[in-house]
Structures are given as C-alpha cells and as structure tokens.
C-alpha cells in the first residue's frame, strides 16, 4: 500500500461524503464491495446496497452478496432486473450491456428514491474505460456516479486497499461478469443456455478452479482457464470430469482455449463501428473515450 493509494482513498471518502447519501449497485465483486464498505464508513445508514437478481447473475454470486451485506448489517434491498424481458436483449447485439444497464440503473434509482436517497453509484474503476463497455453510457445517462474512477482508483489500488485497510475477504476475488457475456454477439440468449453456462461454471468452481469462463458457442463449449491453472485442468482426472459434465449438459464438443482466460474475449470480434452508442437524437457516439468524470453533486462533467 502506497501514500498515493491512501491519498486516493481519502479522495474517495470526500466524494462520498459530499453526496450525503448514496445507493450502491452491489454485485459482491471486489470493486463494489470496496465502494460499499467505504460508503458505509462515511455515510452510515445513508448508504444503501441494491442487489439485483436476474437469470444472468450467477446464483452463487447473488447469494454470497446478500449474505455479506446481512452479516455486515448494511442497509440493503434486493430487486429483480430480468434482462431477458428487455426487448432485443435476447438477440445479443453488441450494445446488449447498454440496454441491460439502463434497465438496472433505472430500478436502482427508483429503489434509492423510494428510500429518500438521491444519488446512485456503481463500482466502475479507473481501468474500466479500456474495453468495450456500453453499460457505462447507460449508467451515465441515468446519473450514476463513478466514485472509484473519479478518485483515480485502479483495480490494483482497490485490491491493495481492500486487503490492507479493510481486510475484505473478496479483496483478491477473480473478476466476474454477467452470464450473458459468455455468448457470441448475435447468438440468441435463452434461459436454458444461461443455465448450461451457470452449471458448468459452478462445476469448475467446485473442482477448485478460480479463474475461468464457459463460453457458449451453440453445441460447442469453449473453456477459458487462467494460465496458472491450465496444467491443473489438463490432468486426466479433471479434464475427463469436465468433458463428461459438459456433455451431460448437452454440449457436443468441449474445447479449451489455448490463450486462456482474458476479460471480454467476445469483444475481439467487434469492428469499431459496432461500439457506437445511440445518443437519442438519431446520431451515435463512440464508446471509447466518451465518459467524462461526473462530479458527485452536480452530475455535470468535471472540468
């Protein structure tokens, strides 16, 4: 932990203090857990965790998130945000996350306002602007603050502070993402396919793997495993167990991606024009670099 990281933490505390009350979209990952912990420290009961259940949110992750806020005594509310009901979501367009996050943050905002809390925030950090993330635009349009990013906190900063200052059990938890990210763009998403992915990933977790994704390509399952665990996976015992389980779920072929796990691998197929976000006036805005920091009280772009 460095002096720079501690200075960023102080900045984060001040950003949250200025809100006077904030609802955090809470997923149970390290970013939102760290943000929620600091918000609770600064705001007390004016901090609210909003946990959204859906068929794209792994049940094990949702249960763990609910259990953690209950044990910590953090005010919270569980809402339902069923993405499969959103028109067009099932078709899995490149802007899928935009429509999903508009639905989510609309409901987070409503839950916050019902409890007299004006501000909402998510766990976007300073590293998150480097990938195709249409959901950031939706969050911005609905006034969601990005306190971690505004404070200049990177993923490494957050993990360090979460571990050394707050001793959070999820400080070194691998990154997670909604189950819809396991499907190639243009591939129809169904509840049955989501269950296949979730059951496969639950199985890998039970075997002891920490870093993995089960990518759904119709009858083909493409497994991404963290490089540090690749040799472990290739041992006959685990490889054969994975193949049997995957075929039992209905996959015909089971493949291992030799590049290993990497975040957002489905975005590797996108052309730049497919990263454009509708602006509402018939034009489009480029996803990359289009997110000015928002000041916590005015919600206007900071100078």
């Amino acid at each position: 932990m460095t002096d720079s990281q501690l200075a960023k933490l102080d900045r984060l505390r001040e950003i949250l203090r200025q809100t006077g009350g904030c609802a955090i979209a809470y997923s149970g990952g390290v970013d939102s857990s760290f943000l929620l912990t600091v918000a609770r420290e600064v705001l007390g009961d004016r901090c609210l965790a909003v946990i959204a259940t859906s068929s794209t949110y792994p049940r094990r992750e949702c249960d763990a998130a609910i259990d953690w806020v209950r044990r910590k005594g953090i005010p919270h509310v569980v809402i339902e945000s069923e993405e499969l009901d959103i028109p067009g979501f099932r078709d899995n367009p490149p802007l899928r996350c935009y429509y999903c996050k508009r639905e989510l943050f609309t409901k987070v905002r409503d839950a916050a306002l019902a409890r007299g809390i004006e501000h909402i925030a998510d766990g976007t950090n300073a590293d998150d602007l480097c990938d195709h993330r249409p959901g950031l635009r939706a969050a911005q349009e609905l006034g969601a603050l990005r306190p971690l990013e505004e404070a200049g906190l990177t993923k490494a900063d957050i993990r360090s502070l979460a571990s050394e200052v707050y001793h959070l059990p999820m400080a070194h938890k691998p990154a997670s993402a909604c189950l819809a990210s396991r499907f190639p763009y243009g591939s129809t998403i169904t509840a049955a396919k989501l269950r296949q992915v979730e059951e496969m990933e639950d199985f890998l977790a039970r075997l002891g793997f920490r870093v993995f994704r089960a990518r759904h390509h119709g009858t083909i399952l493409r497994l991404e495993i963290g490089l540090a665990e690749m040799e472990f996976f290739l041992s006959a015992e685990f490889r054969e167990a994975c193949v049997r389980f995957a075929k039992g779920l209905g996959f015909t072929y089971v493949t291992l991606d030799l590049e290993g796990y990497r975040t957002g691998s489905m975005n590797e197929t996108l052309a730049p024009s497919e990263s454009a976000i509708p602006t509402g006036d018939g034009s489009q805005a480029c996803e990359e670099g289009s997110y000015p920091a928002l000041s916590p009280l005015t919600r206007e772009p900071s100078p």
Side-chain angles (χ1 to χ4, degrees), residues 21 43 76 90 93 121 167 183 196 217 222 228 231 236 247 279 281:
L43 299 170
H76 64 279
R90 289 174 180 264
H167 310 292
F183 298 84
Q196 283 181 299
H217 296 263
R222 176 170 61 88
E231 184 176 354
K247 290 196 172 185
T279 62
D281 61 0

Side-chain angles (χ1 to χ4, degrees), residues 131-237:
D131 192 14
H132 172 67
R133 292 179 180 266
L136 294 180
R137 169 68 68 178
Q140 178 176 296
E141 289 174 354
L142 287 160
L145 308 178
R146 303 196 299 271
L148 299 177
E149 187 236 319
E150 186 175 346
L153 286 154
T154 65
K155 192 72 159 189
D157 294 333
I158 292 164
R159 290 196 186 279
S160 177
L161 292 166
S163 175
E164 298 180 46
V165 176
Y166 294 102
H167 310 292
L168 298 183
M170 64 286 288
H172 299 290
K173 181 180 178 180
S176 185
C178 91
L179 294 174
S181 67
R182 312 308 197 258
F183 298 84
Y185 294 113
S187 172
T188 302
I189 299 173
T190 67
K193 290 179 180 179
L194 288 168
R195 284 195 298 272
Q196 283 181 299
V197 169
E198 182 169 12
E199 289 185 32
M200 189 69 222
E201 293 193 350
D202 283 348
F203 181 74
L204 291 169
R206 290 197 298 272
L207 288 181
F209 292 99
R210 282 180 48 79
V211 181
F212 53 80
R213 291 288 186 271
R215 309 289 190 185
H216 196 297
H217 296 263
T219 60
I220 300 172
L221 173 67
R222 176 170 61 88
L223 294 174
E224 295 179 7
I225 305 294
L227 293 178
E229 299 179 298
M230 190 81 79
E231 184 176 354
F232 177 43
F233 178 87
L234 287 172
S235 65
E237 177 185 2

Side-chain angles (χ1 to χ4, degrees), residues 4 9 37 56 149 164 178 195 222 244 248 253 276 279 284:
S4 173
L9 175 57
T37 298
T56 68
E149 187 236 319
E164 298 180 46
C178 91
R195 284 195 298 272
R222 176 170 61 88
R244 284 195 302 271
Y253 304 103
T279 62
Q284 292 182 317

